[in-house]
């Protein structure tokens, strides 16, 4: 039953050899890897204006130089990541680059930071998208959290179905969003060019404004940089591209950078020219769109695709998180289960883990995840800085052809990223301090896990340790609950193994019962020794384990091993199990983990 | 760790022999068994007025004859239950009485009805109590559901600690409530007697009122009868009394009946004399109290103890449910686990089940369980009717000394209970129809479970079936994941059992790996046959079970048994388990329940 539900939701299992068919072409890759970056166009410009408005509306002209700064940073990041793609064709991303060039801990800081960030990406973007949807249908507003959770579940299932399939479905909304914004920009600029928009709506660039401090401008710049989150996704996901993967990835990266630059600067420019001020109840993009078209169907098309892309931005997290988790798990810093490919060849444990944790975040914050945005932005710029610095070190160490050029590109990237990160810490410390606590904890956890795996490996390796102790003989203990076919079945099996001794153990709750059973047993199985134990506290496990301990202690002295043989009847239908006391289950679990005995279960399958 | 938390919450385990110390004296028994019945005084009179007010305030005088009817019914029930106590000194209650005298199905209807009713008791009374508390502290109102759930958890823990202990704690609030109401009645009646209350506040008894129909009066009577829920609790719980149990129980029953009659008629009389009309925002008891004392400390004392007793009414369910469940489980109609005494000698599974289900009900109804009250009342009068009818049949069959008197008492009880039940069905069908659906379902379930237990018993009994098949030889299959100490340890054990054949099985995901492993194995364990299986879908279980099936099929033909021996390493700390793929756990569970093979786990305990 459960397997056919699974089949319905995620499709038939794929053979390992079918992995080539799951690779992405550039068009699909651009759609699923850039949704996060592109969606930030919907809120990035607004973030800048929100800081400037604290001085006065006249200060809005500063958004133009700030946007130029952001575009400059974007260009530097694009060029740097392009170099990373060629240098690490198997999927680099900040973790691999930092670890190889800067050492273990910087790598783990970058990896841990991104790991958390992708979870935040999903929670934040799905919540934002849900807000956009429920703003349109106020009746749904009360159900925000549940809608957001269902959307996460939907995206999770889509990703479990496999990369290409989700790419096919997700490509439409991404390209529709790009189309919508391009229409907006073209019509907007055409209106301006033809003089239909009054040039008096905004203060000219360079107008002096009182009260503008460097701190404020840096804060506005840092806020605008939140539009750059998500640009590293492509460099993480190179293995998902069709061959030649690095070349295709690099082209996709440039396409994404170009689109992002055009849309971002266009929106900033229109907002400035129209003299738009941020409002609590209406987004900047919505204001520009209604200014340009009025509230007609084009307006609703723009608003609809914007809501959609905010939800789909989550998908970038789904593309990048499992690959990053795979890399960390391969290096033994997190649980090994993240290296396993699921039925549809995706790293399904990573996908499910991401889904579950982001749902938990959404529930914990009751769907109001905006407070997490600064945390999320700073969590991006830490790995940005580390990976660019790593590339710097690489060029200095290797000195390939043209390394001075490469060095200067990465140096610029590293310097700006570091600056932005510091600006975040200085101007928004109250919102980002948590990073300084949880990042060290995560890195500590990584080390703990690695230590454990290495210690286990050492203990299991046949060559390095003394050989396992030889078994000189066997004692079999059979806990019996009555004189039944189940017990008979187990007894026959125990005898067939020819052990040195078989002991049947009966736990009685009352004295009379104890005697009565011993007599019955003598008649039934005269050749098997029976030990009866009295239980004062109505527990079977307590007296039983005490007895087993005694036997085990004696046996181990002479090199004998103790096997506890548990008779168990298996009902025909699985729901019947709740009708039977699961003592055998408890005994089994308890003995296996706490005691040094072998546990054997002899099933007796009921026919009715 | 978890065991010390348990110790802290419910106390040290008690020996089976300490059961005598857990018995109740009359004073404590009255407190914990009558809280449900007594608490209904807080809402019973109001229920009558709520029906009468639909005609006019003049009709309020009808509450006096209606109350007399209720008291008459109460007296009949008390006398009948007194007879039941003596006739069934081991704890009768409706289930036992109906089953013995009327047959299986009437017994099951009574039992199923009460089982559900006790759950409703807990949910309804805790919700009502919570409402009373949060009305006093409006800031808490938003958290109603969570407060109600915490109260249920608290009462559950109290009951898990044991009967006497919970009785000691719960006796104070019950007696304080009785004291509070007695003060109210005495002062109220004194005021009336001294002429301080104007006699013009109410219409005199007998005033003609237009629009009063028989249907309406019956409806008011049925509503008033909801005050009688809980009176059967004592007859269910006789085994909890100190010896001589039946005598003590009968005395306690009469004390409870007397208290209930005095308090109920007193409140109805005061409400009538003061001319009090039911209000949405203030209870009738609160109105009487503030009329009598003003809003001083006596008023708040009355209100406080009322809120408390509403919560504690739940405790009656906790006293009666586990004993009823025990009786049903002993007769194999529900799962056997309800017969087991916990650490503190209470039937802890019943207590926990009651707690969990009522919490689920509270959550499902978002703490608004008032809608369940009619359902709950009708669920009481079904077993009332059945048990009284059962006694009727008993007297007719046995004809003991003075049987005519006994017969007429139970006949009266049966007749009135049946009438009230029919009134409920006729006047409130819209609210109680659900009983007609779920009761048959429950009874059907009871039969299904009994059938299962009997079929299992038949199949296990050694005398009735053919003997278990003898084992002619053994084949041991060892799934191996590598060349490690864990595998070595298992191999040594397998060899020590001297089976007819040992087969090591390796599941490979890649072709090269398959060959490589086979070569390594040949060098390491040349005397053990290795089978390598290729997995196309990255699953270990699928190819493994297919192989095991083939071997099992062949082996069973010649009377051989197949043992699957699973090497497992046990980490030092249990949290480490999440870091390792639990394939062995999965394989074990799968094989045990689906296949006819013996499963043996050979643990290898890691030292670090």
């Amino acid at each position: 039953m459960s397997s056919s539900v699974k089949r319905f939701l995620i499709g038939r299992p794929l053979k390992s050899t079918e992995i080539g068919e799951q690779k992405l072409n550039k068009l699909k890759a651009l759609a699923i890897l850039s949704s996060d970056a592109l969606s930030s166009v919907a809120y990035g410009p607004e973030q800048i204006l929100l800081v400037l408005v604290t001085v006065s509306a006249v200060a809005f002209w500063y958004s133009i130089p700030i946007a130029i700064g952001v575009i400059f940073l974007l260009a530097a990041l694009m060029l740097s990541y392009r170099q990373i793609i060629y240098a690490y064709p198997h999927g680099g991303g900040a973790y691999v680059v930092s670890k190889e060039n800067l050492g273990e801990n910087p790598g783990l800081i970058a990896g841990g930071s991104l790991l958390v960030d992708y979870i935040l990406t999903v929670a934040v973007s799905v919540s934002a998208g849900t807000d956009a949807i429920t703003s349109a249908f106020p009746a749904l507003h009360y159900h925000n959290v549940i809608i957001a959770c269902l959307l996460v579940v939907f995206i999770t299932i889509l990703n479990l179905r496999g990369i290409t399939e989700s790419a096919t479905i997700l490509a439409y909304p991404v390209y529709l969003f790009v189309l919508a914004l391009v229409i907006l920009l073209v019509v907007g600029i055409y209106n301006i060019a033809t003089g239909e928009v009054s040039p008096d709506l905004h203060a000219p660039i360079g107008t002096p404004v009182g009260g503008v401090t460097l701190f404020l401008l840096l804060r506005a710049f840092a806020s605008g940089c939140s539009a750059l989150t998500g640009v590293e996704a492509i460099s993480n996901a190179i293995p998902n591209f069709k061959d030649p993967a690095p070349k295709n990835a690099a082209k996709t990266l440039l396409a994404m950078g170009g689109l992002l630059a055009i849309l971002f600067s266009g929106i900033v420019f229109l907002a400035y020219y129209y003299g738009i001020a941020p409002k609590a109840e209406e987004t900047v993009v919505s204001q520009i769109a209604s200014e340009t078209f009025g509230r007609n169907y084009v307006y609703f098309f723009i608003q609809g695709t914007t809501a959609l892309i905010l939800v789909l931005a989550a998908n970038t997290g789904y593309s990048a998180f499992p690959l990053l988790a795979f890399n960390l798990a391969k290096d033994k810093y997190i649980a090994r289960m993240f290296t396993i490919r699921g039925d549809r060849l995706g790293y399904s444990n990573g996908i499910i883990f991401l889904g579950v944790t982001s749902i938990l975040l959404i529930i914990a914050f009751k769907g109001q995840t905006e407070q997490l945005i600064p945390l999320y932005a700073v969590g991006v710029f830490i790995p940005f800085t580390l990976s660019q610095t790593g590339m710097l070190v690489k060029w200095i160490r290797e000195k390939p052809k043209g390394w001075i050029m490469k060095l200067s590109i990465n140096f610029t990237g590293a310097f700006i990223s570091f600056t932005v990160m510091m600006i975040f810490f200085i101007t928004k410390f109250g919102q980002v301090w948590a990073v300084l606590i949880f990042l060290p904890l995560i890195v500590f956890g990584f080390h703990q896990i690695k230590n454990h795996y290495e210690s286990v490996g050492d203990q299991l390796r046949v060559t390095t340790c003394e050989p396992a102790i030889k078994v000189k003989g066997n004692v079999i203990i059979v806990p019996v609950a009555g004189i039944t076919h189940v017990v008979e079945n187990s007894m026959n099996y125990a005898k067939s193994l020819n052990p040195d001794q078989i002991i049947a153990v009966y736990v009685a709750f009352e004295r009379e019962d104890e005697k009565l059973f011993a007599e019955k047993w003598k008649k039934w199985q005269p050749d098997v020794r029976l030990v009866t134990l009295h239980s004062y506290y109505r527990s079977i496990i307590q007296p039983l384990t005490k007895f087993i301990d005694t036997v085990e202690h004696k046996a181990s002295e002479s090199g004998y091993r103790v096997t506890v043989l548990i008779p168990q009847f298996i009902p025909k239908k699985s729901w019947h199990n709740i009708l039977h006391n699961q003592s055998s289950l408890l005994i089994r679990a308890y003995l296996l983990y706490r005691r040094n005995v072998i546990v054997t279960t002899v099933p007796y399958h009921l026919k009715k």
Side-chain angles (χ1 to χ4, degrees), chain A residues 357-380:
Chain A
T357 44
S358 45
I359 284 179
L360 291 179
L361 261 186
I362 290 171
I363 293 174
F365 283 82
K366 297 192 175 156
Q368 270 124 39
T369 48
E370 308 84 4
Q371 321 155 32
L372 295 174
I373 291 181
L375 205 63
Y376 154 56
V378 80
V380 174

Side-chain angles (χ1 to χ4, degrees), chain A residues 285-350:
Chain A
V285 172
S286 164
Q287 290 184 58
I288 297 176
S290 74
E291 199 77 32
T292 310
F293 298 103
R295 298 237 160 189
N296 67 359
Y297 63 97
V298 186
Y299 168 81
F300 286 107
F301 174 64
I302 292 171
Q303 285 302 94
T305 52
T306 306
L308 216 53
I309 195 131
L310 282 172
V311 173
L312 294 184
N315 201 64
T316 302
Y318 279 90
S319 309
F321 182 94
L323 280 165
L324 176 59
F326 168 80
N327 278 318
L328 281 163
K330 214 182 54 188
D331 294 344
K332 301 184 181 168
Y333 291 112
I334 60 174
R336 202 180 297 156
M337 61 173 180
F338 290 108
T339 61
I340 297 171
R341 285 186 190 271
D343 276 357
R344 302 283 289 183
L345 295 166
Y347 295 110
S348 42
N349 287 325

Side-chain angles (χ1 to χ4, degrees), chain A residues 397-425:
Chain A
R397 202 182 285 150
E398 297 179 3
K399 299 198 177 62
K401 217 178 102 190
W403 66 279
I404 299 278
M405 185 60 200
K406 293 179 173 174
L407 182 75
S408 38
I409 289 173
N410 284 124
F411 177 77
T412 317
F415 180 76
I416 308 184
S417 302
F418 179 75
T419 311
V420 174
M421 182 184 87
M422 290 316 292
I423 293 174
F424 266 108
F425 274 114

Side-chain angles (χ1 to χ4, degrees), chain A residues 458-522:
Chain A
D458 283 345
Q459 290 176 75
L460 298 189
R461 213 162 294 128
V462 174
T463 42
T464 55
C465 294
E466 70 273 27
I469 303 148
K470 289 266 177 268
V471 183
K472 289 200 185 133
N474 282 292
V475 178
I476 295 183
I477 298 175
V478 189
V480 298
I483 293 178
T484 62
H485 274 301
V486 189
V487 174
E488 192 180 17
N489 184 48
S490 301
M491 280 297 158
N492 287 349
Y493 176 70
K495 288 173 192 168
S496 80
L497 295 176
N498 295 312
D500 300 270
Q501 197 176 12
I502 301 179
I503 309 172
V505 183
Y506 180 73
V507 180
F509 294 162
E510 281 163 46
R511 288 287 175 201
E512 301 113 69
D513 181 35
E514 210 176 329
K515 270 185 216 159
L516 204 73
F517 189 81
E519 280 164 26
K520 271 197 211 163
W521 183 270
K522 222 171 196 170

Side-chain angles (χ1 to χ4, degrees), chain A residues 44-53 63 66-67 70 220 223-224 264 268:
Chain A
E46 184 154 4
Q47 295 289 321
I48 300 177
L49 295 180
L50 276 171
V51 177
L52 295 176
V53 82
S63 65
I66 288 170
V70 172
S223 299
F264 182 78
V268 170

Side-chain angles (χ1 to χ4, degrees), chain A residues 192-205:
Chain A
I192 291 172
T194 55
E196 269 185 50
V197 184
S198 153
D200 305 330
L201 291 169
H202 56 271
I205 292 174

Side-chain angles (χ1 to χ4, degrees), chain A residues 90-371:
Chain A
H90 297 296
Y95 166 64
V96 176
V97 176
S98 315
K99 199 187 63 159
E100 287 206 0
N101 298 300
L102 302 176
E104 189 183 19
N105 279 323
L108 293 181
I109 293 173
S113 189
L114 279 179
L115 220 45
V116 174
D117 235 58
Y118 290 131
I119 299 171
L120 293 176
T121 306
V122 175
V124 169
S125 60
V126 170
S127 302
T130 309
D131 277 345
I133 294 169
T134 56
S135 306
F137 308 98
L140 294 175
H141 195 75
Y142 182 68
H143 305 288
N144 251 356
V145 172
I146 184 82
I147 292 173
C149 293
L150 287 176
L151 285 171
V152 174
V153 170
F154 174 73
I155 299 174
T156 305
I157 290 172
L158 214 55
N159 278 279
L160 286 174
R161 289 191 75 93
I163 304 166
T164 40
E165 207 159 319
S166 61
T168 312
I169 299 172
L170 298 179
Y172 296 103
V174 173
Y175 287 116
L176 285 178
F177 171 73
V178 172
L179 178 69
L181 282 203
V182 167
I183 292 175
L184 177 61
L185 295 187
V186 168
V187 175
I189 288 165
Y190 175 82
N191 285 352
I192 291 172
T194 55
E196 269 185 50
V197 184
S198 153
D200 305 330
L201 291 169
H202 56 271
I205 292 174
T207 312
V209 193
V212 169
T213 60
L214 180 66
F215 184 84
L216 183 99
L217 291 179
L218 289 177
R219 207 180 149 98
F221 176 64
S223 299
C225 286
S226 63
L228 300 182
T229 56
V231 299
E232 83 296 347
I234 291 177
S235 71
N236 279 319
I238 310 173
N240 288 344
F241 279 86
K242 279 208 175 130
D243 285 328
K247 212 170 166 185
N248 285 331
K251 281 185 185 165
T252 310
L253 181 74
L254 287 186
M256 177 178 86
L259 273 178
L260 184 54
I262 292 169
L263 299 181
F264 182 78
S265 50
I267 297 290
V268 170
F269 174 71
L270 285 186
Y272 161 69
Y273 203 91
Y274 286 7
I276 279 164
K279 287 186 199 166
E281 69 282 11
E282 194 179 1
T283 62
V284 166
V285 172
S286 164
Q287 290 184 58
I288 297 176
S290 74
E291 199 77 32
T292 310
F293 298 103
R295 298 237 160 189
N296 67 359
Y297 63 97
V298 186
Y299 168 81
F300 286 107
F301 174 64
I302 292 171
Q303 285 302 94
T305 52
T306 306
L308 216 53
I309 195 131
L310 282 172
V311 173
L312 294 184
N315 201 64
T316 302
Y318 279 90
S319 309
F321 182 94
L323 280 165
L324 176 59
F326 168 80
N327 278 318
L328 281 163
K330 214 182 54 188
D331 294 344
K332 301 184 181 168
Y333 291 112
I334 60 174
R336 202 180 297 156
M337 61 173 180
F338 290 108
T339 61
I340 297 171
R341 285 186 190 271
D343 276 357
R344 302 283 289 183
L345 295 166
Y347 295 110
S348 42
N349 287 325
I351 295 171
I352 293 168
F353 183 85
L354 179 60
V356 171
T357 44
S358 45
I359 284 179
L360 291 179
L361 261 186
I362 290 171
I363 293 174
F365 283 82
K366 297 192 175 156
Q368 270 124 39
T369 48
E370 308 84 4
Q371 321 155 32

